[in-house]
Amino acid sequence: EKDNTTYKIGFSQCVSGDAWRRTMHQEMYRELSFYPELSLEIKDARGVNATQIRQIREFLDEGIDLLIVSPNESEPITPIVEEAFHDGIPVIVIDRKTNSNLYTAYVGGDNYEVGHTAGQYIRNLLKGKGRVLEIWGLQGSSPATERHSGLLKGVQGSDIEIVTSIQGEWEKDTAKNRLKEHLESGEFPEFDLIFGHNDVMAIGAQEICKSIGIGPKKFIGVDALPGPYGGIQAVTDGVLDATFLYPTGGDIAIEIAHKILADEQVVKENILQTAVVDSTNIRIMKQQTDKIMDQQDNITRQRERIHVQMEIYRNQRTFLFGFGLT
Ligand code: FRU
């Protein structure tokens, strides 16, 4: 009976201009190609809470079978996500969280663990003593607060001090401008290392320090994206000292969505592992991620070829049918 059913998935994405979110979307579409019965619409809130709330409302009004949401900030987005859940729509929360446990499944990294691992790494790197300048992601978003508290836990009991906090809001330009202002203001607390809550902000910080002539400093970020502007390349080039893997979970979100819509049981918390990427493993990491990107390209190309073949086949059938030959 369900054979011809199609399901509509609405994905409310907090922002989408950056490479990490684009990677997430690519992973989603690649996974979706295995499930022709699923369709996906992405609405991008461009970092504005009110827009995200309105867009989720639109999804609910239009009618969707499942909601995927990455909340821009936790608190303002919580009520509308709870409302969707109460309406009986399965909800998958991805990457950033709401303040509520009313959702069907979560998929993403453990951001407390990311911060904690980074803190321990920093503690080793600075040999137990030093000053850290921390560049925050958007303060009301869960990965920022969790990476921060993980960081504190990781350096606890050492002589590592967080001397400055800059609000970078996850964005390279914002981080760069605020750091530049801070460093040019004259008096600022000395620091040994900059920890950016993500790679683009850490890379931006390195660019500013370099251009002002402040150094040598150490730079650490989070995400470890492959590709020309990602963290893997930055560690390869010595721009970052280390980064921590933060998988997007795009493909897994679709896999979970498929299971839910097929009435299968799913695990509620789907936590993706982090790992350090630094000079000790960068060569192998780079090789592996380059290879994966290559293979993903191949998959996409093959899919397109199959699509073309299917079109030809369909046209031929229509043609033969027209002559009464089938
Ligand atoms: C991308 C991003 C990532 C970060 C994540 C946190 O938009 O800023 O760099 O790891 O969001 O939600």
Side-chain angles (χ1 to χ4, degrees):
E1 184 237 321
K2 269 194 166 174
D3 276 1
N4 292 320
T5 319
T6 57
Y7 295 104
K8 185 172 168 194
I9 300 171
F11 176 24
S12 167
Q13 174 68 294
C14 50
V15 337
S16 79
D18 61 272
W20 190 85
R21 306 258 161 208
R22 280 201 301 275
T23 304
M24 181 192 276
H25 297 175
Q26 280 162 9
E27 288 176 3
M28 285 181 162
Y29 283 116
R30 201 177 310 116
E31 187 68 22
L32 273 168
S33 66
F34 297 117
Y35 310 117
E37 75 278 21
L38 303 186
S39 73
L40 175 71
E41 188 188 342
I42 301 177
K43 291 187 198 268
D44 171 11
R46 297 173 180 269
V48 181
N49 296 324
T51 306
Q52 186 160 34
I53 294 165
R54 176 171 51 75
Q55 289 176 336
I56 296 175
R57 167 82 51 219
E58 281 167 15
F59 273 142
L60 300 184
D61 292 346
E62 290 158 15
I64 49 170
D65 298 295
L66 184 142
L67 175 71
I68 302 179
V69 57
S70 189
N72 187 52
E73 291 185 281
S74 304
E75 198 179 306
I77 308 303
T78 296
I80 183 82
V81 175
E82 286 189 328
E83 187 183 323
F85 187 81
H86 279 309
D87 282 357
I89 294 169
V91 174
I92 300 176
V93 177
I94 184 165
D95 153 55
R96 300 186 189 175
K97 299 173 180 165
T98 60
N99 284 338
S100 160
N101 59 10
L102 295 182
Y103 55 86
T104 316
Y106 169 80
V107 56
D110 178 339
N111 283 295
Y112 180 83
E113 185 56 28
V114 167
H116 187 219
T117 315
Q120 290 175 322
Y121 185 88
I122 289 168
R123 181 185 190 142
N124 277 331
L125 192 65
L126 299 181
K127 303 192 172 62
K129 186 175 163 56
R131 292 150 301 191
V132 173
L133 185 156
E134 181 179 8
I135 304 184
W136 276 68
L138 191 63
Q139 256 188 318
S141 69
S142 60
T145 49
E146 291 174 1
R147 286 176 196 179
H148 171 72
S149 40
L151 172 75
L152 292 186
K153 179 75 185 166
V155 300
Q156 193 181 14
S158 71
D159 287 325
I160 309 271
E161 235 189 306
I162 316 289
V163 291
T164 304
S165 309
I166 303 261
Q167 300 304 324
E169 300 179 5
W170 300 120
E171 285 174 22
K172 184 174 187 177
D173 287 343
T174 309
K176 281 179 89 163
N177 292 336
R178 301 223 167 120
L179 179 64
K180 187 160 186 278
E181 223 170 84
H182 171 74
L183 296 178
E184 287 177 346
S185 70
E187 285 292 286
F188 61 85
E190 263 312 314
F191 61 94
D192 309 296
L193 180 147
I194 294 187
F195 174 56
H197 283 187
N198 69 6
D199 286 338
V200 291
M201 298 192 296
I203 293 168
Q206 190 271 352
E207 289 169 7
I208 288 296
C209 289
K210 194 173 162 199
S211 75
I212 305 188
I214 290 179
K217 308 287 180 201
K218 298 190 184 320
F219 299 90
I220 293 193
V222 177
D223 280 344
L225 268 192
Y229 307 106
I232 303 264
Q233 189 61 46
V235 174
T236 304
D237 296 342
V239 166
L240 295 184
D241 293 273
T243 177
F244 294 83
L245 219 63
Y246 186 61
T248 72
D251 49 349
I252 301 174
I254 296 302
E255 212 184 296
I256 296 170
H258 172 255
K259 280 192 183 155
I260 292 172
L261 293 169
D263 273 337
E264 288 174 34
Q265 285 288 320
V266 296
V267 174
K268 186 164 180 185
E269 303 297 328
N270 301 271
I271 305 302
L272 311 174
Q273 292 305 306
T274 186
V276 66
V277 178
D278 67 2
S279 62
T280 63
N281 63 358
I282 185 64
R283 282 191 52 190
I284 186 79
M285 285 299 291
K286 174 118 174 58
Q287 241 178 56
Q288 296 290 317
T289 50
D290 282 353
K291 179 145 192 163
I292 291 172
M293 281 204 305
D294 240 41
Q295 289 172 340
Q296 286 171 343
D297 266 9
N298 283 343
I299 294 173
T300 308
R301 279 213 311 276
Q302 276 170 9
R303 205 179 66 205
E304 281 161 8
R305 229 178 270 167
I306 292 171
H307 185 77
V308 171
Q309 290 299 323
M310 288 299 285
E311 281 303 301
I312 293 172
Y313 172 73
R314 226 171 271 137
N315 287 337
Q316 282 172 341
R317 274 190 57 100
T318 317
F319 177 76
L320 293 174
F321 190 71
F323 285 96
L325 294 173
T326 60

